[in-house]
């Protein structure tokens, strides 16, 4: 069953490679016997489902989870069963790709308005008066 990212974008199961490994940490005999943790690998660099723009944003979002060859590796070991960890890994991959699909808004340069400039100068003046009042008193002392 293909992984649905958006209503128009799906990733074929042939592009996803899962490996089940033993989870580390506490858990007694279960953790020593059963390979429940899943390592999901997705070759984002060669995937026909993604364009170059999305690949670039995905590389930035993934950080150290993506290898130099463009393979995205997701580890899921939260749950006690293979099925739950498998679903968790697929959900995290889908979420990461969804975030990479969103094109960031371009920042528009703006200038501060007249009221903002007035407020800034007013607070500077008040601060100056406060500090001036801390000095030694001058005059008829």
């Amino acid at each position: 069953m293909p992984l649905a990212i958006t209503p128009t974008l799906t990733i074929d199961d042939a592009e996803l490679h899962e490996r089940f490994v033993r989870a580390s940490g506490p858990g007694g005999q279960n953790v020593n016997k059963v390979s429940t943790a899943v390592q999901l690998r997705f070759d984002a660099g060669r995937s026909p489902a993604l364009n170059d723009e999305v690949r670039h944003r995905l590389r930035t979002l993934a950080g150290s989870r993506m290898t130099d060859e463009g393979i995205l590796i997701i580890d899921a070991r939260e749950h006690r069963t293979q099925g739950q960890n498998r679903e968790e890994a697929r959900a995290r991959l889908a979420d990461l790709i969804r975030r990479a699909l969103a094109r960031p808004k371009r920042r528009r340069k703006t200038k501060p308005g007249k009221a903002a400039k007035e407020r800034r100068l007013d607070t500077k003046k008040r601060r100056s008066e406060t500090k001036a009042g801390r000095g030694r008193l001058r005059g008829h002392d």
Side-chain angles (χ1 to χ4, degrees), residues 15-76:
E15 293 185 66
L16 303 176
H17 302 282
E18 294 168 339
R19 203 174 96 200
F20 294 98
V21 293
R22 288 191 183 143
S24 61
Q29 289 180 354
N30 188 62
V31 83
N32 297 329
K33 292 188 305 187
V34 186
S35 299
T36 55
V38 68
Q39 193 177 61
L40 180 69
R41 290 171 170 263
F42 171 61
D43 193 350
R46 294 195 184 108
S47 176
L50 307 176
N51 61 33
D52 289 337
E53 191 179 332
V54 174
R55 265 189 208 101
H56 180 70
R57 285 197 296 263
L58 186 61
R59 177 174 292 283
T60 305
L61 284 170
S64 62
R65 291 177 285 186
M66 189 175 278
T67 65
D68 292 336
E69 294 83 37
I71 298 172
L72 182 63
I73 302 169
I74 294 178
D75 271 343

Side-chain angles (χ1 to χ4, degrees), residues 65-118:
R65 291 177 285 186
M66 189 175 278
T67 65
D68 292 336
E69 294 83 37
I71 298 172
L72 182 63
I73 302 169
I74 294 178
D75 271 343
R77 52 185 71 226
E78 293 279 319
H79 306 285
R80 286 177 59 95
T81 65
Q82 277 186 356
Q84 286 176 312
N85 281 330
R86 188 170 182 253
E87 289 305 311
E88 166 101 15
R90 288 169 151 255
R92 287 186 0 213
L93 174 65
D95 181 54
L96 203 60
I97 294 172
R98 264 186 229 107
R99 287 183 13 224
L101 285 169
R103 184 176 286 133
K105 290 182 181 177
R106 288 188 55 121
R107 184 185 177 280
R108 290 197 187 103
K109 291 181 184 177
T110 57
K111 292 181 180 176
K114 189 174 182 180
K117 287 180 187 175
E118 290 287 330

